[in-house]
Amino acid sequence: MRENRMRLRYTLSAATGALLLTTLLAPTASAGASVGSAKLLNSDLEAVRAEPDPTEPGGSTLLRATVVNHGPDTTGGPFTLTVRLPLGAEAEEPFFPDTCRLAILSSGHTVRCTFPRGLPANASVTADIPVRISPNAPVGDLEGGSTQATALLYDRNPSNNRAPFTLRVVEA
């Protein structure tokens, strides 16, 4: 008896998933369709490459992480901007906006910022993340940093949601 109930639950979950996928992968004529209060596939978020100022070992710099909505519509739901710092760098509070938080267990290398729905087409938001460079960091480029915009259901072009960046370490 228990096995049948589990099978029924799985079947309902698969049907719900298939319906959601059909909605998301439908031809562009259905772009802008609604699920709840969020419009689907109606905006295009892009993470813009950050270019923080160079700093010396043990110094600090400000990383300005920007996300642009290329539209055509206002964002239909909230989205997240994630900043991943390369090894040799740590984020230091305070962050702007105050919806930015250090990710749990990231050792200061990942900051997540949440933004509400309603970013108009052709507008942008920016998060300011102060970054401290390790005193032991070698002179040169610290590679492996990235910014990433994540929006569920309504970002019609996820190919431009991630942008790598480097932190340049210069002699003191």
Side-chain angles (χ1 to χ4, degrees), residues 89-152:
E90 286 187 19
E92 291 189 323
E93 294 181 85
F95 307 127
F96 177 84
D98 61 5
T99 58
C100 296
R101 303 276 184 270
L102 279 171
I104 297 172
L105 302 176
S106 73
S107 301
H109 296 285
T110 303
V111 176
R112 288 193 179 90
C113 306
T114 56
F115 293 91
R117 72 183 208 148
L119 180 63
N122 302 313
S124 65
V125 293
T126 299
D128 290 342
I129 312 296
V131 176
R132 171 81 51 195
I133 303 299
S134 167
N136 301 323
V139 170
D141 290 338
L142 298 180
E143 297 180 344
S146 68
T147 59
Q148 182 168 352
T150 306
L152 297 177

Side-chain angles (χ1 to χ4, degrees), residues 6 10-11 76 104 106 127 143 154:
M6 290 177 75
Y10 177 76
T11 303
I104 297 172
S106 73
E143 297 180 344
Y154 57 88

Side-chain angles (χ1 to χ4, degrees), residues 29-107:
S30 69
S34 293
V35 170
S37 64
K39 280 188 172 180
L40 297 179
L41 307 174
N42 68 336
S43 57
D44 175 18
L45 297 179
E46 176 186 9
V48 178
R49 183 177 175 90
E51 296 188 19
D53 289 336
T55 191
E56 66 278 348
S60 63
T61 189
L62 181 66
L63 187 135
R64 302 197 83 193
T66 301
V67 174
V68 175
N69 176 14
H70 292 293
D73 294 330
T74 297
T75 55
F79 59 94
T80 302
L81 170 60
T82 303
V83 177
R84 289 182 180 83
L85 298 174
L87 292 177
E90 286 187 19
E92 291 189 323
E93 294 181 85
F95 307 127
F96 177 84
D98 61 5
T99 58
C100 296
R101 303 276 184 270
L102 279 171
I104 297 172
L105 302 176
S106 73
S107 301

Side-chain angles (χ1 to χ4, degrees), residues 21-36:
L21 283 175
T22 301
T23 303
L24 290 175
L25 299 176
T28 55
S30 69
S34 293
V35 170

